Amino acid sequence: MGKFTMAIHGGAGTILKEDMTPELEEAYLRGLKAALDAGYAVLEEGGSSVNAVKAAIVILEDNMLFNAGRGSVFTKKGLQEMDAAIMDGQSLSAGAVCGVRNVRNPIELAEEVMLHSNHIFLSGKGANDFAIKQGIKLEPDEYFFSQFRYDQWKEIRDSDNYSLDHTHQRLDELLREKKFGTVGAVACDDKGNVAAGTSTGGMTNKKYGRIGDSPLIGAGTYANNNTCAISCTGHGERFIQVVAAYDVSCLMEYKGMSLQDAMTIVVKDKLVKIDGEGGMIGVDGKGNAALIFNCAGMYRAFRNNEGSESISIYEE
Ligand code: ASP
């Protein structure tokens, strides 16, 4: 049996211990562990990296604390519009959706696009129609309502501001600080197949159908057995500009770099140069993992079958 590895993230940004209550910290750590365990269990049973990624992301989407699925932020119109993508590094198959509403688990819809449409990327109403046709689980608007997200949005809805967000900051800090949501997972299974997935509600108060990097193959999500699987979180516009996830793969493929070195260049150098705050998680086909960010914290966890496991929030 080969080495297998699971890694997840729940967003990055100005996440500081002093802003956190012990109860909230505990809830985040519990949420991360539940998702990590769900993904790892798939790998342990000999399942595929795609199924492991999906299992972990579904748990994070169902958790109100994270900006994806149920905990998604409010748009300018006071709705939730969600984006997600999944990619299989063995076949280079991919599926993605953006601007979808009322879909309980957008990552499942992205997988459905990958497996059962002739397309890769569906948007808005068309993606929702496809969800209905395929029998994907839908939920009413109330399912997506959370008081703290509503309060965040209320603070800025009458302005042209938008906010890359996390959850727990004091409202007066919301406009000044950048905190990012989004969830993601990457996995390498015991056959050396890698996969990546990312799911997000995007930015609080977003308008004009704004889409970030998360569902864009190559920007926020990418997987290729020859190199790596990557899921990003952070200021999406910047990640799109540097084609962040694919750039890691290119540095590995064309320059022969290790996963760790390639991710370090993209996150700590290329993104920093254009004020691209955030981070990413990655695995390569040998089961090595890296979790790298250029801001105060990233909700993150990883585990492999050689006994390494960690769940962390802040810089160590
Ligand atoms: N990258 C996501 C976006 O720009 C946001 C995030 O990671 O929090 O939509």
Side-chain angles (χ1 to χ4, degrees), residues 59-302:
I59 300 281
L60 294 166
E61 287 177 334
D62 288 347
N63 186 331
M64 193 60 112
L65 286 176
F66 300 99
N67 174 19
R70 189 168 196 200
S72 290
V73 296
F74 285 74
T75 65
K76 179 86 181 164
K77 290 189 174 150
L79 308 167
Q80 284 74 35
E81 289 175 1
M82 300 166 286
D83 312 326
I86 193 160
M87 185 160 183
D88 175 352
Q90 184 185 14
S91 57
L92 300 185
S93 313
V97 293
C98 66
V100 295
R101 304 214 48 235
N102 302 97
V103 173
R104 183 185 174 107
N105 294 109
I107 197 70
E108 290 187 348
L109 180 56
E111 193 200 29
E112 203 62 25
V113 173
M114 173 167 87
L115 297 178
H116 299 122
S117 80
N118 293 321
H119 309 295
I120 287 185
F121 203 177
L122 302 183
S123 72
K125 173 146 185 349
N128 267 95
D129 289 347
F130 182 68
I132 291 165
K133 178 171 165 278
Q134 299 301 113
I136 291 284
K137 194 156 201 282
L138 301 177
E139 297 287 353
D141 288 349
E142 306 81 66
Y143 172 84
F144 297 89
F145 181 89
S146 56
Q147 191 62 47
F148 63 87
R149 299 278 184 211
Y150 180 77
D151 291 343
Q152 285 175 343
W153 171 64
K154 220 167 57 179
E155 283 295 299
I156 60 172
R157 69 179 170 190
D158 294 329
S159 72
D160 274 341
N161 292 334
Y162 55 77
S163 164
L164 283 151
D165 162 69
H166 239 293
T167 52
H168 52 275
Q169 68 271 37
R170 293 188 297 274
L171 291 176
D172 61 332
E173 288 174 342
L174 183 66
L175 300 177
R176 273 186 285 120
E177 290 189 7
K178 293 187 210 130
K179 301 189 186 191
F180 309 109
T182 292
V183 306
V186 293
C188 174
D189 62 29
D190 63 359
K191 292 164 200 73
N193 294 322
V194 301
T198 313
S199 180
T200 188
M203 300 157 73
T204 297
N205 217 31
K206 65 184 181 183
K207 57 183 178 179
Y208 307 131
R210 179 265 180 192
I211 307 293
D213 61 314
S214 309
L216 290 182
I217 298 303
T221 307
Y222 187 71
N224 182 336
N225 271 9
N226 295 327
T227 54
C228 59
I230 301 284
S231 171
C232 302
T233 176
H235 192 158
E237 281 70 7
R238 304 292 159 262
F239 282 69
I240 293 171
Q241 280 173 278
V242 301
V243 200
Y246 186 59
D247 200 26
V248 173
S249 175
C250 287
L251 288 169
M252 293 175 72
E253 184 170 0
Y254 303 130
K255 284 207 154 188
M257 283 189 183
S258 68
L259 175 73
Q260 175 87 24
D261 288 352
M263 281 174 62
T264 301
I265 286 184
V266 175
V267 176
K268 303 265 194 189
D269 183 37
K270 291 190 172 191
L271 280 164
V272 168
K273 280 188 179 131
I274 55 166
D275 272 341
E277 219 183 322
M280 58 172 71
I281 56 173
V283 289
D284 66 18
K286 296 193 190 72
N288 299 308
L291 303 87
I292 297 181
F293 51 101
N294 60 25
C295 42
M298 179 164 81
Y299 297 105
R300 63 199 188 277
F302 108 102

